[in-house]
Amino acid sequence: MLRVLAVDDEVPALEELVYLLREDPRIERVTGACDAAAALRNLSRMLVAGDRLDAVFLDIRMPGLDGLDFTRLLSGFAAPPVVVFVTAHDNCAVTAYELGALDYLLKPVRPERLAEAVRRVDQAVHRAAAHGGRAVDRPPEDEMVPVELGGRTRLVPRREVTYVEAQGDYVRLHTAEGSYLVRMPLAQLARRWEAAGFIRIHRSTLVALAHITEL
């Protein structure tokens, strides 16, 4: 069963999309977001909770961060969800597919066309799972870590993290610019970042080998 996120800054369009997605028996859960920033916050909470997100059904033209830029940000996550664009603009399809979009739907959305997109998502998710493509223990060259700062979500590149400290149920990521608190057990992060060169030198500390200059 799929877990998806629907993103559109127009409330009627978002409500209709959420309704249609919830009617599909292949979908277990649908979360709605009114813009890309809200979608990032939702995604951040899911990652922190260890939850999964299989697909994002996404508008393109939105205030602030648009759908194309949001998709570029997704590529930095360890296990990015499948992206399906749902838009009234037909002139961005080439860029969308270059960014790895699975499908491109034009508004107004026809239920049968949306059902076909869901079928493609379901097929892609199952194929990736069968080949281990959704495993989070094999991170990409870099990963963007969402952190909350004063009600805003900032993306911190993993490559900038020098060391990590455990603080109860949280970890504190240290970079040259400052430190950031993320709700995640240190043991989970240690497994996730082991292949990226982070080693556990103490029960409460991870260090990045790339940043070690002296012992």
Side-chain angles (χ1 to χ4, degrees):
M1 298 288 283
L2 300 172
R3 299 179 183 182
V4 305
L5 177 63
V7 189
D8 200 309
D9 64 308
E10 296 179 357
V11 175
L14 177 61
E15 290 177 345
E16 180 184 13
L17 181 57
V18 168
Y19 170 78
L20 291 174
L21 289 169
R22 285 176 177 164
E23 289 293 297
D24 195 301
R26 293 164 294 192
I27 295 179
E28 174 186 4
R29 187 180 67 202
V30 182
T31 304
C34 59
D35 55 37
L40 271 179
R41 288 192 292 271
N42 280 328
L43 182 56
S44 172
R45 285 192 289 267
M46 290 176 185
L47 290 174
V48 166
D51 203 353
R52 80 172 200 272
L53 179 64
D54 296 306
V56 179
F57 288 78
L58 180 67
D59 191 14
I60 289 182
R61 300 291 168 81
M62 293 183 289
L65 190 68
D66 69 16
L68 297 174
D69 287 333
F70 178 79
T71 303
R72 292 185 181 97
L73 290 176
L74 286 181
S75 65
F77 287 92
V82 173
V83 174
V84 174
F85 283 105
V86 183
T87 178
H89 303 276
D90 61 0
N91 59 343
C92 297
V94 173
T95 302
Y97 285 118
E98 286 176 348
L99 292 174
L102 183 69
D103 209 342
Y104 194 95
L105 280 63
L106 290 175
K107 297 177 182 177
V109 179
R110 294 180 289 111
E112 61 273 18
R113 182 64 182 87
L114 183 61
E116 170 60 18
V118 172
R119 185 195 68 78
R120 294 182 183 180
V121 169
D122 190 47
Q123 186 178 56
V125 169
H126 280 86
R127 184 167 57 245
H131 290 84
R134 298 191 64 80
V136 297
D137 292 331
R138 295 197 300 276
E141 290 300 316
D142 199 16
E143 178 181 342
M144 306 302 287
V145 184
V147 298
E148 296 291 330
L149 290 174
R152 302 178 66 181
T153 301
R154 178 178 177 182
L155 297 174
V156 178
R158 186 187 58 219
R159 67 177 180 274
E160 294 182 4
V161 177
T162 55
Y163 70 101
V164 183
E165 289 182 296
Q167 294 189 358
D169 293 332
Y170 291 77
V171 292
R172 182 170 292 280
L173 311 179
H174 292 268
T175 72
E177 295 183 355
S179 65
Y180 311 94
L181 205 59
V182 177
R183 187 177 177 84
M184 178 183 293
L186 185 70
Q188 179 182 341
L189 190 64
R191 290 191 300 270
R192 181 168 170 167
W193 284 6
E194 181 180 10
F198 281 76
I199 60 172
R200 196 165 184 172
I201 62 166
H202 184 268
R203 62 185 178 86
S204 63
T205 309
L206 289 178
V207 298
L209 289 173
H211 291 277
I212 294 177
T213 57
E214 196 172 291
L215 294 176

